[in-house]
Structure formats: C-alpha cells, structure tokens
Amino acid sequence: MKLYIYIVITSCFICAMTAQQNQNTNDLFEGNVTVGPLNPVLKPVTIKNDQDTKPTNSQVFALDFNILNNENQVLTEGTLVPVTITKESKRGILDIKHENSSFTIQYALPNSIEFTANYALENAQLRYTNLSGPEGANKSVEIVDQDLLDTAFFWGTKMTPFAYETKNNLRIIQQQVSTSSIESGYIPAPLLIIANGKEIPLTTGKPTTFSHQGKEYTAYVLESTYLIDPNNGGCANGGYIIRCIIGKSFVQQ
C-alpha cells in the first residue's frame, strides 16, 4: 500500500511538471485580447481636515524657492556679498549678479503676491540654505538691503518652534503648542509677527500687511503646524513645520 501511494504522488508530480513545460512553450498571448482604458474616469472627492490630516488650503503648491547657478545647479548654502538683484519680466525668477558670476532665484508665490515690477537692488546681501534630510526640509533665503530685511523665504522642520529676528528687531515667532491631549497628527501652531513692539497674528493662506520702523511689509504663511506622528507626512521625527515669506518689496494683486 505504501509503495502504491508513492507511485501515485510521483506520477502526479511528473504530470504537473510536464503540463508546466507545455504551458511555457505556448505563446504569451493567444486569441483576441481586449485592452482596458488607459485613463480611467476619476470621481471628485472631498478631503476633510482633521487632526491626522495635514491642513489644506487653496495654495498647496505655492511658496517654494531655490537658488541656481548658471548651470541650473541648486546651491546648498552660503552667503553672497555684494549682489545686484533684478526681477525678470516673467513671474518666478530673480536675476543675481555677484562679481563675475550669475545666479537666479526661482520662486513660487501665491497668486495674490508678487515682487514689484521695478524690483532692483544694488550692493545687497544674500544668505541661503537648501538642505534636506530624514528630519525634514531646511530651506531659507534672506535678502538684506542696507542692513534692512528686504525679503525672506522660510521652509523648515525643527523640534523647537521657529524663530527669526532681524537687526532692527523685526521678529517672526512660532508659538509652542500643547501635545498632551493628542496622540498623533498635525496641530496648528500660531505664528506671530512682532513689529514696532506689537504682536500681529498671521492667518494661514492670507497676506498680512504691517509697518515696522517706517517700512511697509507683507507676510504670508502657507503652513505653521506641529506634527506628532513621525510616520505621518514624511517627517521622520515630526516637529514644528514652517512655510512662510516676509518682504517689503511685495505688492498684492
């Protein structure tokens, strides 16, 4: 009996191998083949914000910036002094001249904000950082003209609230948030401008105009949040996230 079972199993195995070999010799496609649609129809969906969802707004992809050399290579970090900066006729590019080199700032702003049409600076100072890592983005561009801030872009992730201050005491402060009652997700972190000693709250997605020591500035914040869950949003360690601009050479459109 035992010998008979062994012979049956072995025979089945040989039949299976033979069938597989025969199948492998067949053409991959036989007969009529129907190809499905390349672009299926997508139905609109509504995304609802909650504590586990990154806050959304109408300018999700706005507010970015990079400094490139004349070979279109992104510069990581450094300081250029002095520089001449002018605005190209088309939106999104500032030309930079430094000694015998030329650079560009390629930027994306909300539709409601743009540099003035005759934007031009001589003997300005440019500081920039463009670094990325597992902990998140670390990008900034600062344009200083005659020791006064002209324009600054910020996009970063830190474990401590964002803070920035100019030489003439213009400040941007991200307030600390309480995480004791929430286990994961994004928490809005209030962002303040301190100008002429007064606190001015910024509203996400809305330009705010204010004065500081006789100069008119415009600030815009795309995002100011605290991320708790390290697996939510691509930030390995979570932390305070900031994406904002401030400048005295902007006009609202």
Side-chain angles (χ1 to χ4, degrees):
M1 178 65 67
K2 294 182 179 179
L3 178 61
Y4 173 77
I5 294 175
Y6 175 79
I7 292 174
V8 171
I9 294 175
T10 305
S11 300
C12 292
F13 178 75
I14 293 174
C15 291
M17 291 294 295
T18 303
Q20 182 177 4
Q21 290 174 356
N22 292 335
Q23 183 178 6
N24 291 340
T25 60
N26 295 334
D27 293 335
L28 183 61
F29 296 105
E30 292 181 347
N32 296 326
V33 178
T34 303
V35 180
L38 295 179
N39 297 311
V41 178
L42 302 179
K43 296 182 179 180
V45 297
T46 301
I47 299 176
K48 183 179 180 181
N49 291 338
D50 56 40
Q51 67 181 27
D52 291 324
T53 303
K54 194 170 186 177
T56 59
N57 56 67
S58 60
Q59 295 288 350
V60 174
F61 299 106
L63 206 59
D64 196 5
F65 50 92
N66 287 295
I67 296 184
L68 289 75
N69 60 17
N70 54 11
E71 297 178 351
N72 286 329
Q73 297 174 329
V74 177
L75 304 182
T76 54
E77 57 183 340
T79 301
L80 300 177
V81 180
V83 293
T84 299
I85 304 178
T86 55
K87 181 180 181 296
E88 282 198 5
S89 58
K90 58 182 179 180
R91 183 184 179 99
I93 296 180
L94 298 179
D95 288 321
I96 305 171
K97 303 295 183 183
H98 172 64
E99 297 177 347
N100 297 324
S101 301
S102 60
F103 308 91
T104 59
I105 298 179
Q106 296 188 2
Y107 62 89
L109 292 174
N111 293 331
S112 57
I113 299 177
E114 182 55 288
F115 283 92
T116 56
N118 58 347
Y119 182 72
L121 300 176
E122 295 183 359
N123 297 321
Q125 180 177 353
L126 176 66
R127 294 190 294 266
Y128 58 92
T129 301
N130 189 353
L131 303 174
S132 297
E135 69 279 2
N138 180 14
K139 298 176 62 174
S140 67
V141 171
E142 298 172 70
I143 301 174
V144 177
D145 182 39
Q146 299 179 3
D147 291 330
L148 294 178
L149 175 67
D150 180 86
T151 307
F153 295 78
F154 299 104
W155 182 359
T157 303
K158 298 177 60 178
M159 294 308 299
T160 57
F162 174 82
Y164 173 77
E165 184 173 3
T166 66
K167 290 184 177 180
N168 63 341
N169 300 320
L170 175 60
R171 302 170 65 192
I172 307 175
I173 301 295
Q174 188 179 38
Q175 293 186 324
Q176 189 169 357
V177 298
S178 173
T179 62
S180 58
S181 59
I182 300 177
E183 295 181 356
S184 66
Y186 290 86
I187 302 175
L191 196 66
L192 303 175
I193 294 288
I194 301 179
N196 291 332
K198 297 181 180 180
E199 294 185 355
I200 304 170
L202 298 180
T203 302
T204 301
K206 181 179 178 181
T208 300
T209 302
F210 62 93
S211 297
H212 181 69
Q213 297 184 2
K215 303 293 183 181
E216 294 289 328
Y217 284 86
T218 297
Y220 180 94
V221 54
L222 180 70
E223 180 179 3
S224 181
T225 57
Y226 182 83
L227 174 61
I228 298 179
D229 186 353
N231 297 317
N232 188 350
C235 299
N237 297 317
Y240 288 89
I241 304 173
I242 184 73
R243 294 180 70 177
C244 71
I245 57 171
I246 182 173
K248 64 182 181 65
S249 296
F250 292 136
V251 292
Q252 296 191 38
Q253 300 179 332

